[in-house]
Amino acid sequence: MRRSPKHRAEPPARPRSDALGAQAAKNARTVASTAASLAVALAPSLLGGAPAHATLAAAVTAGYPQRAAQIAVTIVTLQTKDKSAADAAALDVSAYRNAVASAGSYWSAMSAGRITLRVDKVVTGFKTSASSGDDFAAIMSTVSRELGWNPGSSTVLLLAVPRDDVLVSGSKGNLGAGWTASQTSGRILLPRPSGFTGAVTAHEMGHILGIGHANTLQCGSGTVDAVRSGARFADSACSTRGYGDGTDVMGISHYSQPQLNAYLYEYGGMGRGDEIATLGTPGAAATYTLTPWAGTAPRRAAKFKDPATGEWYYLQYRAPVGYDAPTALAGNKGVQIIKGGLDESESLLIPPSTKPFTGVYAANLAWQPGQTFTTAGGTRVSINTAGAASATVSITARGALPDNVAALMDAKAAQFGLGPGFGGIGTLRDGGLYHMYQRGAVVWTPSGGARVSTGAIRGAWQRLGFENGSLGFPTSDEIGGLKGGGVYQMYEHGAIVWSPQNGAFESKGAIRGAWQRLGLEDGKMGYPTSGEIGGLKGGGVYQMYEHGAIVWSPQNGAFESMGAIRGAWQRLGLEKGRLGYPTSGEVGGLRNGGVTQSYEGGAIVWSPQNGAFESTGPLRDRWLKLGAQNGDLGYPTSAEITGLKDGGTSQSYEGGAIVFSPATGAFESVGAIRAAWGSLGSQDGKLGYPTSGEVGGLAGGGVTQSFQGGSIVWSPRTGAHESLGAIRGVWSSMGAQDGTLGYPTSGEIGGLKNGGVYQQYEGGAIMWSPKTGAHESMGAIRAAWGSMGYESGKMGYPTSGEYAISGGVAQNFEGGRIEWNRSSGIKVVASVGAASGTVTPIPTTPAPAPKPNPSPAPPPAANPETAAQIQAMVRQTAVQMGVDPALALAVAEQESSFRQNVTSPVGAVGVMQIMPANRDWLAGMTGRPNLDLNKTADNIAGGIAMLRWLRAEAKNLDEAIAGYYQGLGSVQSRGMYDDTKAYVAQVKARMATF
């Protein structure tokens, strides 16, 4: 929470705004109610015997003598010019009274009863010319002037504004603001009451009493302590984190009111005067007992003066007692070390880690047993114990050595042959010591004892920053006996490993964990050949080894990267490529000795016979569905190949390939069907991309695969051949491989007269020409037609399929008709007008003979086509025009039951029930200027042209079907009517039957 600005006592006061906003406070409430911050208190007493320090007078500047004041508070709720009387009336006066009472109890306890607060007067709904959105200073000044209020001795003006926060120097989100006029008089501005109102009021009263903020030391470098140098710290990496001490009432606020820390307690003239023991300047190690700071015992905290810097340090024990009960928890329960801030009215807590923390409340502001704090001047404070009733600390001045440490260091140096020592014993952080020798050093810590530091391992430790680096202090001596003469040494946070051929490098954290999992230097990675190298994408880190690398990322952890799989990953751009970071180690045991490794974007798969290749995206999904390396495709034999037509991608495998395009998805391409597809130009040919996998179970063990432009059909006796376009439409209408024609025995063969094309089948052929379309040709009729020269003979191309006649079948051709009768065999009937080149449709039964008449005879009246013939015409026309035959057939059946000679009550005619008014539009759509809706073929062509247009213009199939019935414009502007919805459902149900 952004606490209100604190102001010093000297007028004119200069506001100092607090640092955390109301919204942040709301977000932090869960933290505040659970483990929020902690308060600890100490009262030093010697363990055993007389004090082990010189008796010195306190050299710290006292801010105020012991304070005494009976402060009268005037509460004024405001109706600002931008708010109503109801807004002002909604301000809960009792909440502000309770906040004053709570703050009064708190400061009475801090001052040993010498400071009291009482509400002297309440003014509600005071109309002011100030706006609730004005800066707090402007509101305070305006209302004070309008009320005629002036600061005096022991008087406080508390103003309440009807809004949820207070504006401070343009900054929103503040939960309060205060202005001090003297040591016991000033003004406070609060927003609407909240769970923080009591704590904020106590905080602002602290400012009115001249007490500053409780801050923390923050050093980007992690420096343990920093000497104050005027208005800044001597270490430029260090600064003050305002409100950082969340265990103090003058730090970041809570719902509760933690105990004022020992420094501010003394500075503000609080208490009885016997709560803080003055230890003076430390010398040899001495131990002191601290009792909970929020208790009541005398000498429960202590302060000492560093002999090198002259700075005073306060020690207090925050325990869950009294005012500290809600906050002195977990890492905030323990010994706190505090000194004066850059502003002497503010305190500076020194936490165990001075590195910046995220969020609002720090979770580790107290030092724990086993930790040692070393001042910037070298004085060591070791935390020995921390219990329910007390904590003990030992304080040792710089230069005062622990018992026998010099002898221990010399013995260690002799053990490892370091030679004679030189120089004195130096001090390190946390109470550590070191002594230099001719061939290295010995490092001593309270927890680890004396450890050797020499040679290449010491050089690596130095490169990493010695004890202040990532490894910390050594915890073992050098240990030999590793493979090939290697040596290692353990540290607080890892190890340094040396080998004769590679040198010395650190081994720590998750990367070390992965290396251990792989067998350390005896495993497949061998020794490290580099230190850890950062700067990878997303904060990743890697370390090189004799046989590869270990790569770590925050989201995935650490995994090996080696051999051919690493080579493939490098080829793809390592972690910056499309595979991203590894998400597993190498996984072996695959078929024929294969190995795979998973990555964020897929996998890399290796086999002895093929090498290592990526497996990603839709291609990988299809490969896995087909059984991966255990399926028919086997292992990949190439990388993914991109840049194909329309954004396609392909990858080769032992048993074929998988081909992907955005429009069709990913499907396998294998065996004879793949060979046929390749001969037709693969995806660049007329078939385009596959739209399905291979589908087996056909007659005689056949297999088919669909493509954008048709399909390829294979059978054991005929091989693989394409099936597409109009020829495929006729073949499908005749039952495909289950029909009379059976399987194709050739691909499409062009070069016929007038651009014709044909395809051979087991039971005949299908002939196609631009003028006549596609029709089957088989049996005796085909033989007769062939004897006359096929399409190059007088009969030309077939213009119909075979149809039943009395006693046999017939087929129409450009030049006539060929009939076959069970009794009489083949009969060729010449076409009327054939000599002039015109084509007259041949009736399925003979036309009546023309009556003798000098006038021209009427044309023969053809018998209506059967439903089966119309169905075949609809299917063939749909295929030719690129419309789903099932859709065209379903609409034709729904509209007319495959009848041409029907007219609806509204005038729609024919098979497709077309309104005559649409004739001209459909003539253009079909390319038939003389379109006659009363002719079956024209009617069908017109209806299917309309379906083709609707499928192109409508959003989906349902809308297209509805548009055929209701009109697309009406559907899109009004939605489907109920009868339209029923029509759509009926058509879709019929589609399923085709």
Side-chain angles (χ1 to χ4, degrees), residues 877 896 899-900 902 908-915 922 926 928 931-945 964:
T877 304
S896 68
R899 294 177 296 163
Q900 172 63 18
V902 290
V909 298
V911 175
M912 304 302 288
Q913 286 290 283
I914 300 173
M915 294 297 292
L922 293 175
T926 59
R928 302 185 183 196
L931 185 76
D932 185 350
L933 297 179
N934 293 312
K935 291 183 178 180
T936 305
D938 281 5
N939 190 286
I940 292 171
I944 293 176
Y964 195 91

Side-chain angles (χ1 to χ4, degrees), residues 939-959:
N939 190 286
I940 292 171
I944 293 176
M946 184 181 296
L947 286 173
R948 181 174 63 187
W949 178 82
L950 286 167
R951 286 297 278 131
E953 297 296 322
K955 295 177 182 175
N956 51 49
L957 177 62
D958 285 13
E959 190 175 88

Side-chain angles (χ1 to χ4, degrees), residues 503-656:
F505 299 101
E506 72 273 17
S507 176
K508 59 191 176 72
I511 289 181
R512 176 169 176 80
W515 188 46
Q516 285 178 311
R517 185 182 70 242
L518 294 166
L520 298 173
E521 72 282 347
D522 294 317
K524 58 183 180 179
M525 300 300 296
Y527 281 102
T529 60
S530 79
E532 291 192 352
I533 301 169
L536 303 190
K537 183 184 78 169
V541 176
Y542 73 100
Q543 185 169 15
M544 297 301 300
Y545 292 79
E546 290 176 308
H547 305 300
I550 295 177
V551 183
W552 175 88
S553 68
Q555 61 272 35
N556 302 300
F559 299 100
E560 70 271 19
S561 175
M562 55 188 302
I565 289 181
R566 177 168 176 79
W569 187 46
Q570 286 177 312
R571 185 184 70 242
L572 294 166
L574 298 174
E575 77 284 347
K576 294 180 181 177
R578 55 196 173 100
L579 279 176
Y581 282 101
T583 58
S584 79
E586 291 191 350
V587 179
L590 305 189
R591 182 174 67 88
N592 296 334
V595 177
T596 184
Q597 184 168 18
S598 297
Y599 294 79
E600 292 172 311
I604 295 177
V605 183
W606 176 87
S607 67
Q609 58 272 38
N610 302 298
F613 299 102
E614 72 274 17
S615 176
T616 70
L619 297 178
R620 175 169 177 78
D621 294 341
R622 186 65 180 176
W623 184 57
L624 293 174
K625 186 174 182 180
L626 294 168
Q629 68 280 349
N630 298 316
D632 291 338
L633 283 174
Y635 284 101
T637 59
S638 79
E640 293 181 359
I641 300 170
T642 59
L644 305 187
K645 185 183 77 170
D646 298 331
T649 303
S650 173
Q651 186 167 20
S652 296
Y653 296 81
E654 291 172 311

